[in-house]
Amino acid sequence: MEKYTLKIIDIIDETDNTKTYFFEKPENLTWEPGSHTHIGHIGFDIGDQPRKEWVRHMSIITLPEENKIAITTRVPGSKSEFKNKLAELKTGDEVVFFKIGSRMGLRRINRPIILISMGVGIATMRPLILSFINDKTNIPYLLNINIDSSDKFVFKNQLDKLADENYKNYWINSRTSFYEMLSKLMKSENAIYYVVGSDAFIKDIIQRLRVNSIKIEEIIIDRKDERKQKFLEG
């Protein structure tokens, strides 16, 4: 297993308690849009067993051509030792990246794509959106729907500037409004659905999609195969 010790080069406050951490990108490191990584605090792998409470699975929010690696997350978290330690880090500190992979690549099969995320889950969608903007081949259009009851939408200003006739954002602060929109989309769009959020949110959206005859293979979530089946078939 290859590990990369990466230095923090910048930290940005996105909204209350939400930060983006930027890291140096090694020249030989690349990844697909929508990739995830494991991040460990320095020392997590010392000893007979790794300290799992110092490790977290997170989405990479940048594209390789941006020449930096970044993650966006809510910090601190009183019940999360990983996030509490992350909140203490400063520019120049280091963490370890390992097990980079992808389950969320864009399906370029001449069907629309609808991205559905809750809160900071928009971080997973950012590189997918940028990839689509850079190359719209075999994707008629893309809709990005983010629901956040706080009304403090991460990346809103940045992503709204990219909107055009093939790409639109919907920022929603009400579950009722969100369900109404989703109901209309399911009836009118022959789309592929990407869903990111809490386990409860993912299960809820999948259930609504399945009731409306959306097939399992048309729903993309960022979970291991064995967990994915439980979500999709539950």
Side-chain angles (χ1 to χ4, degrees):
M1 178 177 64
E2 193 162 12
K3 299 177 183 178
Y4 300 88
T5 300
L6 305 182
K7 183 181 296 184
I8 298 173
I9 57 176
D10 197 9
I11 302 173
I12 294 177
D13 290 311
E14 300 288 357
T15 65
D16 294 345
N17 300 320
T18 300
K19 297 178 182 289
T20 295
Y21 292 79
F22 292 91
F23 303 87
E24 288 182 337
K25 175 188 172 298
E27 289 186 6
N28 64 331
L29 180 58
T30 189
W31 59 91
E32 297 295 322
S35 289
H36 58 264
T37 184
H38 285 73
I39 302 175
H41 290 293
I42 299 297
F44 84 93
D45 51 355
I46 295 176
D48 295 334
Q49 296 293 330
R51 299 187 63 168
K52 294 183 179 179
E53 65 273 18
W54 284 17
V55 177
R56 182 63 66 90
H57 173 280
M58 306 194 78
S59 297
I60 299 175
I61 74 160
T62 46
L63 298 176
E65 51 264 40
E66 293 180 83
N67 205 33
K68 53 192 173 186
I69 303 174
I71 60 168
T72 298
T73 186
R74 298 200 190 283
V75 291
S78 60
K79 295 182 180 179
S80 169
E81 190 170 347
F82 173 88
K83 288 195 175 184
N84 288 333
K85 288 180 68 64
L86 186 66
E88 296 172 355
L89 297 182
K90 305 287 190 299
T91 301
D93 291 337
E94 297 177 330
V95 298
V96 180
F97 278 58
F98 61 101
K99 289 185 179 179
I100 296 175
S102 176
R103 307 184 190 102
M104 300 287 284
L106 289 178
R107 300 273 184 96
R108 297 181 180 274
I109 55 174
N110 290 310
R111 293 176 65 180
I113 288 178
I114 297 177
L115 308 179
I116 302 171
S117 61
M118 179 181 73
V120 76
I122 189 66
T124 302
M125 306 309 193
R126 179 187 183 273
L128 298 178
I129 293 167
L130 295 183
S131 180
F132 170 75
I133 295 297
N134 293 338
D135 179 9
K136 299 180 180 180
T137 303
N138 295 330
I139 302 176
Y141 57 88
L142 184 147
L143 304 181
N144 171 48
I145 305 170
N146 182 248
I147 178 170
D148 194 328
S149 60
S150 73
D151 251 345
K152 296 177 180 178
F153 298 101
V154 181
F155 306 138
K156 182 178 186 301
N157 291 338
Q158 179 189 62
L159 296 180
D160 278 347
K161 292 177 182 178
L162 302 176
D164 59 25
E165 67 272 14
N166 303 114
Y167 166 60
K168 298 188 184 308
N169 296 302
Y170 296 92
W171 310 99
I172 303 176
N173 61 8
S174 159
R175 282 287 180 110
T176 300
S177 298
F178 167 68
Y179 291 144
E180 290 174 354
M181 170 176 282
L182 183 61
S183 178
K184 291 178 182 178
L185 290 175
M186 287 187 293
K187 293 175 181 177
S188 61
E189 313 292 345
N190 181 32
I192 304 295
Y193 296 82
Y194 290 63
V195 185
V196 175
S198 67
D199 285 359
F201 179 79
I202 293 173
K203 289 178 181 178
D204 176 47
I205 300 307
I206 288 175
Q207 182 179 25
R208 291 173 184 274
L209 293 173
R210 296 298 307 282
V211 167
N212 284 272
S213 301
I214 306 301
K215 299 176 182 178
I216 287 178
E217 58 268 24
E218 297 169 336
I219 305 171
I220 313 299
I221 63 174
D222 191 11
R223 293 293 189 275
K224 293 181 179 179
D225 288 343
E226 58 271 21
R227 290 196 68 199
K228 182 175 180 179
Q229 285 305 116
K230 292 179 181 179
F231 275 100
L232 295 178
E233 297 175 355

